[in-house]
Amino acid sequence: QVQLVESGGGLVQAGGSLSLSCAVSERNSNTYSMGWFRQTPGKEREFVARITWNNNEINYADSVKGRFTISSDSAKNTISLQMNSLKPEDTAVYYCATGPYSPFYFTPRTYKTWGQGTQVTVSS
């Protein structure tokens, strides 16, 4: 069974930077896409960014475009999310997820496996 282990996160002031990492235990057809989502209390899980192993296709939510960078390290089966120019509205629990190919990469239901989540808090 595929497992995801996240690391990173924490507390930072507005304008600062944080980095998240996610290691996947194995790669197969169900790990085609690697995504980051975030969630705040009372709200639905929100798409942040996604990358694919095969062709390094990358997508971002408009709210993070130009500030966040997703990358992958195939040798280590790891993806990272570099978050710069952080804003208080970026505060959330961030989840790593993986799933098969789908044109609906921006919806949580596409993803079969989820990490445990890591808190990111941006103070004003």
Side-chain angles (χ1 to χ4, degrees):
Q1 185 174 352
V2 175
Q3 293 183 325
L4 300 174
V5 178
E6 301 170 15
S7 59
L11 173 65
V12 68
Q13 288 188 332
S17 299
L18 283 174
S19 181
L20 305 180
S21 292
C22 175
V24 60
S25 58
E26 63 180 276
R27 287 164 55 188
N28 53 44
S29 60
N30 284 325
T31 63
Y32 180 88
S33 284
M34 297 290 296
W36 288 100
F37 286 76
R38 64 188 182 186
Q39 191 170 24
T40 54
K43 293 190 175 181
E44 293 186 356
R45 204 160 285 191
E46 174 190 29
F47 171 74
V48 174
R50 166 257 202 178
I51 191 168
T52 64
W53 295 111
N54 289 6
N55 57 6
N56 237 24
E57 184 177 343
I58 292 176
N59 306 92
Y60 294 102
D62 288 343
S63 58
V64 306
K65 209 171 286 185
R67 300 188 298 121
F68 290 12
T69 302
I70 190 170
S71 61
S72 65
D73 185 335
S74 298
K76 297 182 179 179
N77 283 358
T78 299
I79 67 166
S80 298
L81 186 69
Q82 177 65 39
M83 304 181 291
N84 299 328
S85 302
L86 282 161
K87 305 174 182 180
E89 50 264 43
D90 294 318
T91 296
V93 177
Y94 282 70
Y95 296 90
C96 176
T98 188
Y101 168 79
S102 171
F104 305 105
Y105 57 83
F106 47 87
T107 59
R109 68 181 64 183
T110 290
Y111 297 84
K112 293 184 176 294
T113 304
W114 293 82
Q116 76 279 11
T118 186
Q119 178 71 45
V120 170
T121 302
V122 184
S123 63
S124 57

